[in-house]
Amino acid sequence: MLARTVILLIIVSQLGCAPAKNAPVKPLAFTSFPVLEYHLIGRPEGRWQRTPENFRADLEWLQANNYYPLNLRDILDGFGAVPAGKRPVVLTFDDSSAGQFRYLPDGKLDPESAVGMLKAFHDRYPADWPLRGTFFVLMETSSPDRNLFGQPESVAKKLRQLTEWGMELGCHTYSHDRLDRVSPAAAKRSLDRSLAVLAKFSGRPIVSLSLPLGKFPTDRTVIERFKLVAEVAGGMNPVNYDPLQVKRIQAMDSEWQRFFKRAAK
Ligand SMILES: [Zn+2]
């Protein structure tokens, strides 16, 4: 009886010590973190478009408020990369439009594309702002501007560079397919085709998925291969977030005010 009680006590005490899923190893100075969501970068400002001026102002504001950028996949490591005194932010970009990553006719990186601005900002603050960002790319849609950043001659170069420069490639299906409206077999095929393209250019496994329109497939086993699934809205994530339902915040003025208490311009 005594032996059984001791064994029971050991089991209970071990259960009590087991870390919760995704629990950070050391105490964190923050309790939540934002995952920002960008679509088009260009003019004018709109529901789905951020101007270059506003994008630069977003980076300035985040840096001034002690945010530190991570790729989405980096949050799987329990925020260990975030320096003391900083708090994490993830910048994500959906739909791979040219405004996110463009080369000019002379071969130079467009300084008003998101990647151009991220690089310039990193050059200004190399220690405080590493080159991070997660790009959820599309391969083939009816809008050529959104197919792998819209410049067919530069596809391989861009996808390789994003990886080499420290950023992350993520899956957004092959053709922006609504996973709730296609059969599980068709959903799987769309993801397979997307991953085949991304795997060719990324030296790393693809672990992140952004759901088109935030719609889950009817058969969730289809997306089991991903470690992180990003939704389209939801606000801040707690540090013990659900990796298969990562909430995001659209980077638009009303959302900055609502979730960051950032003053209106
Ligand atoms: Zn999308």
Side-chain angles (χ1 to χ4, degrees):
M1 186 64 192
L2 182 64
R4 200 184 287 172
T5 306
V6 168
I7 289 168
L8 194 65
L9 279 173
I10 289 169
I11 291 171
V12 168
S13 67
Q14 287 190 342
L15 279 175
C17 293
K21 205 175 177 191
N22 294 309
V25 180
K26 59 178 182 196
L28 298 170
F30 44 87
T31 56
S32 63
F33 67 98
V35 178
L36 288 168
E37 176 185 358
Y38 289 92
H39 290 91
L40 300 168
I41 302 290
R43 299 183 184 89
E45 179 78 13
R47 175 74 175 80
W48 303 103
Q49 179 156 278
R50 197 79 172 145
T51 65
E53 293 75 21
N54 283 339
F55 184 75
R56 283 194 196 100
D58 294 348
L59 297 179
E60 297 279 1
W61 189 90
L62 289 166
Q63 201 264 346
N65 284 275
N66 293 319
Y67 281 96
Y68 185 86
L70 299 177
N71 292 319
L72 190 60
R73 68 167 177 241
D74 301 337
I75 69 174
L76 292 167
D77 299 337
F79 306 104
V82 181
K86 298 278 187 184
R87 44 192 172 162
V89 61
V90 179
L91 273 62
T92 67
F93 302 84
D94 282 22
D95 301 344
S96 53
S97 52
Q100 293 178 5
F101 192 173
R102 184 189 288 114
Y103 277 100
L104 297 173
D106 64 4
K108 291 201 177 112
L109 180 58
D110 183 349
E112 295 206 320
S113 66
V115 172
M117 292 185 280
L118 285 169
K119 279 208 76 152
F121 201 72
H122 166 66
D123 289 345
R124 251 175 82 198
Y125 303 103
D128 280 355
W129 203 268
L131 206 39
R132 299 287 182 268
T134 297
F135 290 80
F136 292 110
V137 302
L138 298 170
M139 281 77 203
E140 193 179 320
T141 71
S142 55
S143 172
D145 179 68
R146 299 182 196 189
N147 298 339
L148 294 160
F149 305 110
Q151 293 176 304
E153 68 285 1
S154 309
V155 166
K157 181 180 174 185
K158 288 181 183 178
L159 296 186
R160 286 211 179 90
Q161 283 183 327
L162 285 176
T163 305
E164 284 168 16
W165 290 341
M167 295 184 273
E168 177 183 15
L169 291 173
C171 178
H172 197 35
T173 77
Y174 195 78
S175 301
H176 213 260
D177 304 302
R178 272 190 59 162
L179 297 179
D180 60 326
R181 286 199 178 159
V182 296
S183 69
K188 185 175 177 303
R189 197 159 52 241
S190 170
L191 297 171
D192 284 344
R193 292 176 76 199
S194 164
L195 291 173
V197 174
L198 296 177
K200 210 162 89 185
F201 299 105
S202 173
R204 308 186 55 153
I206 307 299
V207 299
S208 302
L209 168 71
S210 162
L211 296 164
L213 305 179
K215 301 294 183 187
F216 281 89
T218 47
D219 176 0
R220 294 215 184 183
T221 61
V222 166
I223 56 171
E224 269 178 356
R225 72 186 88 182
F226 297 99
K227 292 185 177 163
L228 292 157
V229 177
E231 302 194 284
V232 292
M236 294 277 179
N237 290 281
V239 287
N240 63 342
Y241 64 96
D242 179 350
L244 299 183
Q245 287 182 288
V246 177
K247 298 183 229 174
R248 289 195 287 175
I249 297 172
Q250 285 206 12
M252 52 199 280
D253 288 351
S254 56
E255 300 288 84
W256 281 107
Q257 288 164 35
R258 182 173 166 203
F259 292 109
F260 294 84
K261 310 287 177 248
R262 182 176 167 189
K265 289 190 290 292

